[in-house]
Amino acid sequence: MTTIGLVRHGITDWNIQGIAQGSSDVPLNETGRQQAEALANRLSTEEDWDLIISSDLSRAKETAEIIGRKLHLPVSHFDTRLRERSGGKIEGTTEEDRLEKWGADWRKLDLAMENLDEAADRGLACIEDILEDFSGQRVLIVSHGALIGLTLKKLMPDKFHETSMDNTSITILKNAESRWDCSLYNCTVHLQKSESY
């Protein structure tokens, strides 16, 4: 059986301000680092992981590195397919900015945003490669909220119609005999236990 843990990165200033990040390289803030530490502490007391793979964007990369230090696991590689769905022209804007610039129907306009299916497909391709290359292992993937959600919907459409991923949440998927099972979804119990929250 192959186990995949999907982790959303820690929080950033743009998350707090409601600014669309997409493929913009926005760093974690101090709270985001504390969240990553809280998750790392939790993971260190649970089952062992064999390797960590991360998006190359700094908010995911730093989350992965904080976890890796605690688990004594280097991040084995940074995969651009795990980047957040590109927001095109909306990156760096708030909902208020978008309404002002493009009006209430901004979602219907061509603002150079990455197609939902294309984003889901690259997330899925990455998971399929991991399944092939690291069969029988336990792999942590550190990525981004929308990309994780889109990938889950593509992977298990009967189970996931809508998704909402919290910062440093962990979702655990198990694959046995080509069947996927989700044993944990969007879990942030480590944040409730952390004195910082």
Side-chain angles (χ1 to χ4, degrees), residues 13-24:
D13 286 342
W14 280 24
N15 285 144
I16 293 167
Q17 293 158 14
I19 299 171
Q21 293 180 123
S23 56
S24 297

Side-chain angles (χ1 to χ4, degrees), residues 122-140:
R122 65 181 164 84
L124 193 60
C126 186
I127 283 185
E128 285 170 350
D129 283 354
I130 287 168
L131 204 56
E132 193 172 313
D133 297 343
F134 306 105
S135 177
Q137 296 190 58
R138 292 173 55 81
V139 183
L140 270 180

Side-chain angles (χ1 to χ4, degrees), residues 5-144:
L6 294 165
V7 172
R8 184 185 176 197
H9 61 80
I11 205 163
T12 70
D13 286 342
W14 280 24
N15 285 144
I16 293 167
Q17 293 158 14
I19 299 171
Q21 293 180 123
S23 56
S24 297
D25 201 8
V26 183
L28 294 180
N29 61 21
E30 199 44 51
T31 304
R33 291 183 190 100
Q34 289 168 6
Q35 290 176 326
E37 291 283 358
L39 176 57
N41 289 334
R42 169 190 175 178
L43 294 174
S44 71
T45 66
E46 297 178 351
E47 286 184 75
D48 288 344
W49 292 90
D50 295 307
L51 70 149
I52 304 172
I53 296 169
S54 174
S55 152
D56 65 328
L57 295 178
S58 60
R59 57 193 185 272
K61 186 174 184 244
E62 190 177 0
T63 301
E65 287 168 342
I66 288 169
I67 293 167
R69 278 197 296 277
K70 186 74 184 178
L71 302 186
H72 308 293
L73 275 181
V75 181
S76 69
H77 65 274
F78 298 99
D79 195 320
T80 55
R81 293 176 298 178
L82 293 173
R83 283 183 169 197
E84 183 59 291
R85 177 191 176 209
S86 171
K89 293 177 185 172
I90 76 158
E91 289 187 12
T93 68
T94 62
E95 179 69 16
E96 200 178 359
D97 295 334
R98 296 190 280 278
L99 291 171
E100 202 175 290
K101 267 187 172 179
W102 301 299
D105 289 337
W106 66 265
R107 285 179 180 82
K108 295 176 184 168
L109 302 176
D110 179 8
L111 297 173
M113 294 171 75
E114 184 179 5
N115 175 285
L116 291 168
D117 273 337
E118 286 172 8
D121 285 344
R122 65 181 164 84
L124 193 60
C126 186
I127 283 185
E128 285 170 350
D129 283 354
I130 287 168
L131 204 56
E132 193 172 313
D133 297 343
F134 306 105
S135 177
Q137 296 190 58
R138 292 173 55 81
V139 183
L140 270 180
I141 294 175
V142 183
S143 185
H144 306 265

Side-chain angles (χ1 to χ4, degrees), residues 124-187:
L124 193 60
C126 186
I127 283 185
E128 285 170 350
D129 283 354
I130 287 168
L131 204 56
E132 193 172 313
D133 297 343
F134 306 105
S135 177
Q137 296 190 58
R138 292 173 55 81
V139 183
L140 270 180
I141 294 175
V142 183
S143 185
H144 306 265
L147 189 84
I148 292 171
L150 291 166
T151 304
L152 287 173
K153 286 198 268 189
K154 194 89 166 182
L155 193 64
M156 301 174 74
D158 296 339
K159 184 170 177 69
F160 295 107
H161 305 292
E162 292 302 321
T163 54
S164 177
M165 314 311 296
D166 295 319
N167 289 103
T168 66
S169 65
I170 181 162
T171 296
I172 294 183
L173 304 177
K174 294 177 187 289
N175 185 286
E177 294 169 9
S178 301
R179 287 179 61 87
W180 286 103
D181 176 55
C182 179
S183 59
L184 190 68
Y185 170 70
N186 192 39
C187 183

